[in-house]
């Protein structure tokens, strides 16, 4: 299995001094220790490595709400409870060549979504397009790590996931939680080593960003959370106390919340209704008090690869022109360079491969308690 991560030159010897409230851990150490952790939970080695690459991608690129933060909080309980089966073999329910329907049978989404993208890309190489529609899936981490596998082959990748029957956000003007944070990613070749990777939740942020802010004692920016009456909530820990609701991309109904909500529904349709996975909007969602609930079993994925070369020559040159023009856009006075989605993550990954992945002290302590052998936190901070 080839890695989809940007090439770089991290070595175990490149350990800089820990800075401030964080510890810098060499990427290869984090990857090896995460792989070993999955191995201790019964995940076979090749799968454990691919899962660790997908998870550490979050920390490497700065999408750390979906990085090793979730190891103890999400993936350990998922594997220990049987919610994910480390040995599950995805089952082909239908295979039409360009179009495949899979039942993942609770396989660990972190590796199985990457495998699904490899299958989609293999079909796209033959027919121009490959759609792998998945039900029975489990949490796959960052959508972008799976989508960029297509970009690495010169293709366009589209990946989306619903959250099974889990309900987190209520519709604009609605009083009952119906949808999850429903991530969506579109990836394509762009500047050399810096693919376009749009990778986002369709709610204003994923719950992981609210939780990492709460854990690190940071306030939620205005726009993330509101109370029952729609007033802004700045205390990030209010979300897990059930005292705040997650907002939609676009903000309020007046500023575009229905666009974010519509995107969330589009993901529900493409990722879950299409393969027949569990959905958030279901009659049970309207019973009870409307608060967040439901379980993230039986998640659905949309995994799509498009091979532009099947349609015409010149796609890569034209994509390079589009993304190169964006990168050359003059910034506003006093602002940094203009970047397209995926570009800052690739730069961050390069820097972190060279000088280590920063882990906040609370996260470092959590991982150490889980048995990961990481460089020690500085004296006086433990
Ligand atoms: N598995 C799940 O159930 C689930 C659910 C929700 C989110 N997620 C994942 O959480 C991660 C974080 O999501 P998010 O919504 O917080 O993402 P985000 O807000 O950090 O970034 C969203 C997009 O904006 C782009 N971007 C941000 N700053 C930029 C800049 N300065 N210049 C150019 N582009 C910039 C990023 O490249 C990215 O494509 C993603 O990987 C997503 O797939 C997973």
């Amino acid at each position: 299995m080839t890695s989809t991560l940007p090439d770089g030159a991290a070595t175990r010897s490149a350990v800089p001094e820990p800075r401030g409230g964080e510890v810098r851990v060499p990427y290869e150490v984090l990857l090896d220790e995460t792989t070993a952790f999955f191995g201790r939970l019964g995940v076979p080695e090749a799968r454990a490595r691919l899962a660790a690459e997908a998870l550490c991608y979050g920390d490497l690129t700065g999408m750390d709400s979906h990085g090793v933060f979730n190891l103890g909080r999400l993936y350990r309980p998922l594997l220990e409870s049987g919610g994910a089966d480390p040995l599950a073999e995805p089952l082909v329910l239908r295979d039409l060549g360009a179009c495949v329907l899979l039942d993942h049978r609770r396989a660990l989404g972190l590796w199985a979504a990457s495998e699904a993208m490899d299958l989609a890309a293999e079909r796209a190489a033959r027919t121009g397009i490959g759609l792998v529609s998945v039900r029975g899936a489990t949490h796959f981490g960052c959508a972008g790590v799976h989508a960029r596998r297509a970009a690495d082959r010169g293709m366009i990748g589209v990946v989306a996931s619903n959250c099974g029957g889990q309900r987190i956000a209520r519709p604009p003007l609605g009083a009952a939680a119906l949808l999850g944070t429903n991530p969506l990613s579109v990836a394509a070749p762009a500047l050399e080593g810096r693919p376009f990777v749009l990778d986002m939740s369709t709610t204003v942020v994923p719950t992981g960003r609210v939780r990492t802010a709460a854990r690190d004692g940071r306030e939620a920016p205005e726009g993330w959370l509101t109370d029952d009456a729609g007033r802004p909530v700045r205390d990030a820990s209010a979300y897990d106390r059930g005292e705040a609701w997650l907002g939609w991309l676009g903000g309020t109904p007046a500023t575009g919340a229905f666009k974010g909500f519509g995107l969330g529904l589009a993901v529900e349709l493409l990722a879950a209704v299409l393969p027949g996975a569990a959905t958030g909007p279901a009659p049970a969602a309207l019973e009870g008090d409307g608060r967040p609930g439901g379980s993230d079993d039986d998640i659905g994925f949309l995994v799509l690869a498009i091979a532009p070369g099947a349609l015409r020559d010149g796609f890569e040159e034209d994509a390079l022109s589009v993304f190169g023009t964006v990168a050359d856009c003059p910034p506003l006075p006093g602002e940094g360079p203009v970047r397209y989605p995926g570009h800052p993550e690739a730069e961050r990954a390069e820097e972190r491969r060279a000088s280590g992945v920063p882990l906040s002290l609370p996260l470092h302590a959590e991982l150490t308690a889980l048995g990961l052998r990481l460089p020690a936190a500085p004296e006086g901070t433990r």
Side-chain angles (χ1 to χ4, degrees):
M1 187 62 61
T2 52
S3 165
T4 60
L5 298 170
D7 289 330
T11 63
R12 281 174 184 272
S13 60
V15 193
E17 289 300 307
R19 301 175 320 180
E22 65 187 33
V23 182
R24 286 241 168 189
V25 174
Y27 172 66
E28 292 299 336
V29 172
L30 192 63
L31 190 59
D32 287 350
E33 289 297 308
T34 304
T35 305
F37 185 83
F38 281 128
R40 291 195 287 279
L41 290 169
V43 183
E45 191 173 347
R47 293 182 179 190
R49 187 75 181 175
L50 196 50
E53 284 182 356
L55 193 63
C56 294
Y57 171 89
D59 304 281
L60 196 63
T61 57
M63 299 277 184
D64 49 359
S65 61
H66 283 72
V68 290
F69 165 67
N70 279 333
L71 203 54
R73 194 190 67 80
L74 199 161
Y75 296 106
R76 182 170 75 158
L78 195 63
L79 284 159
E80 284 181 346
S81 67
D85 175 357
L87 303 176
E89 292 297 338
L91 182 69
V92 178
L93 297 172
R94 188 153 299 180
D95 188 343
L96 303 171
C99 222
V100 181
L101 176 65
L102 295 182
D103 181 348
H104 264 185
R105 301 157 111 190
R106 294 181 289 111
L108 187 60
L110 284 170
W111 74 266
S114 278
E115 293 254 318
M117 177 50 89
D118 290 352
L119 176 61
E122 185 195 300
R123 299 307 171 91
R126 280 196 240 157
T127 62
I129 193 158
L131 167 68
V132 177
S133 185
V134 181
R135 67 191 195 211
T138 68
H139 197 275
F140 67 19
C142 294
V145 70
H146 310 295
R148 68 160 290 173
R149 294 180 87 82
D152 289 347
R153 299 180 188 214
M155 298 181 185
I156 299 170
V158 182
V159 170
S161 167
N162 86 331
C163 296
Q166 193 178 30
R167 299 178 293 272
I168 292 170
R170 46 186 191 180
L173 311 179
L178 292 186
L179 286 178
T181 53
N182 289 10
L184 171 67
S185 178
V186 180
L191 295 181
E192 178 66 29
R194 280 131 177 69
F196 169 70
V197 188
L198 173 66
D199 184 14
M200 52 179 243
S201 64
T202 44
T203 47
V204 64
V205 281
T207 52
R209 283 190 54 194
V210 179
R211 293 195 172 108
T212 47
R215 183 204 56 199
D216 297 341
R218 284 178 282 117
E219 281 197 325
E222 195 168 317
W224 283 16
L225 300 172
T226 53
D227 66 13
D228 279 342
R231 290 177 299 245
V233 172
R234 303 299 302 276
D235 174 5
S237 61
Y239 177 77
D240 268 337
R241 290 198 305 272
E243 295 167 8
W245 292 89
L246 199 58
W248 290 103
L249 278 177
T252 66
T255 60
F258 281 102
K259 298 185 202 177
F261 173 60
L263 269 178
L265 274 177
V267 168
E268 198 74 16
L269 178 75
L270 292 168
V273 181
L274 183 64
T279 59
L286 304 180
E287 294 159 8
D289 62 6
R291 295 267 153 198
S295 89
D296 62 354
D297 297 330
D298 192 11
I299 287 173
F301 298 158
L302 171 86
V303 180
L304 178 67
I306 301 168
L311 293 177
R312 69 176 184 96
D313 294 331
F315 166 81
E316 288 220 15
E317 292 78 2
D318 290 349
L320 184 62
S321 164
V322 165
F323 293 111
T325 305
V326 173
D328 287 342
C329 177
L332 287 170
E335 294 296 336
V338 175
R339 296 290 185 237
Y340 54 81
H343 193 162
E345 287 77 21
E347 288 179 330
R348 210 171 283 132
E350 271 176 12
E351 184 271 318
R352 291 180 177 187
R353 278 178 177 270
S355 56
V357 177
L359 300 178
S360 73
L361 292 175
L363 178 57
H364 178 270
E366 259 174 57
L367 296 175
T368 304
L370 288 174
L372 274 71
R373 292 165 307 156
L374 304 175
E379 283 300 325
T381 60
R382 276 169 266 167

